[in-house]
Amino acid sequence: MLTADELDRFAAAFTVLGRFHLLPPEEEALTCLDELLDEWPLPATGATAVGLDLMRRSRLHESAVRIRRDHDRLYGRTAKATVAPYESVHRGTDGLVFDVQTLQVRAAYRTLGLRAPEPNKEPDDHIGLELDFLAASCLRALDALDLGLADDAERCWRTGVDFLHDHVLAWAPDVLRTVADKSTTEFMAAVAHLTTGALDAYTTVACEPARP
């Protein structure tokens, strides 16, 4: 089980990264990035260090319009996707959205009383939504700790860890490598590297022996 500080840090990272995978930032959000980068909640090592460097370089010359165009080209919000952001496309037998993985992910969300914002339009297994679920499991565990409910905290956190292994790690690392390789903006490459770094860090702590 993680400490309250660790839960808070991972929740913050996964929330921000989930949002960037789902939607490109507006100019207003970009202006807030400098402070966010200086206070990034996870250690600046490995893929995270690469992502932070790319994001700082992006801030020097990439506009929201250019980032939006690259985000759309990669994830196909208005055109054919370069890399599909849905688990079922990568793991399903027929390579289609709303396959069995989508339903499994939907059921997992329900264990914490959550649902995708537009389940009939946007498949539940978008990489951004799956990162949101990891964030939510951390936040629910943190809330339970604040109330002194250690068993509930463990259950919420363990739900996220199981989801990490059963779903996210089964497909997201390959997608993130493709996004980093095929992006035309440093911003989207940075998002891919930062996500890889966050998942690497989370996997490391999730696989640690139980703490006393």
Side-chain angles (χ1 to χ4, degrees):
M1 179 66 188
L2 303 188
T3 66
D5 181 65
E6 289 170 327
L7 289 169
D8 186 55
R9 289 176 178 274
F10 279 112
F14 286 135
T15 297
V16 170
L17 293 168
R19 185 177 305 126
F20 284 154
H21 281 286
L22 283 166
L23 294 169
E26 301 292 340
E27 285 290 354
E28 182 178 355
L30 286 176
T31 61
C32 299
L33 265 181
D34 291 334
E35 181 178 353
L36 174 64
L37 294 176
D38 290 339
E39 299 178 358
W40 189 249
L42 302 180
T45 58
T48 296
V50 175
L52 290 172
D53 181 60
L54 284 168
M55 192 66 81
R56 291 189 174 98
R57 284 158 46 187
S58 169
R59 290 293 298 118
L60 298 176
H61 65 95
E62 291 179 344
S63 67
V65 171
R66 182 178 176 188
I67 293 168
R68 185 181 307 114
R69 191 177 301 124
D70 192 29
H71 189 285
D72 183 53
R73 182 186 62 83
L74 287 166
Y75 287 156
R77 296 194 69 85
T78 63
K80 184 177 179 180
T82 301
V83 51
Y86 305 108
E87 179 181 346
S88 54
V89 173
H90 298 274
R91 299 186 67 199
T93 304
D94 299 318
L96 302 174
V97 295
F98 290 108
D99 206 334
V100 62
Q101 288 78 20
T102 307
L103 301 180
Q104 291 171 346
V105 166
R106 183 176 298 176
Y109 293 170
R110 285 199 297 267
T111 63
L112 293 183
L114 302 173
R115 65 191 295 258
E118 297 182 289
N120 296 320
K121 295 181 180 179
E122 182 83 78
D124 309 58
D125 55 348
H126 190 290
I127 188 172
L129 295 178
E130 294 199 0
L131 293 173
D132 279 346
F133 183 72
L134 294 180
S137 71
C138 290
L139 290 173
R140 294 291 180 87
L142 187 59
D143 289 342
L145 283 179
D146 288 343
L147 295 172
L149 303 173
D151 289 344
D152 285 351
E154 177 73 26
R155 176 183 60 80
C156 291
W157 178 68
R158 182 54 57 185
T159 296
V161 172
D162 290 344
F163 185 82
L164 172 78
H165 289 293
D166 293 343
H167 293 282
V168 182
L169 294 182
W171 73 286
D174 287 340
V175 165
L176 294 170
R177 281 190 288 270
T178 303
V179 171
D181 181 58
K182 295 187 177 297
S183 61
T184 60
T185 59
E186 289 174 317
F187 181 92
M188 290 305 298
V191 169
H193 283 289
L194 286 171
T195 306
T196 297
L199 292 175
D200 286 346
Y202 197 56
T203 301
T204 297
V205 298
C207 293
E208 287 181 347
R211 303 179 185 182

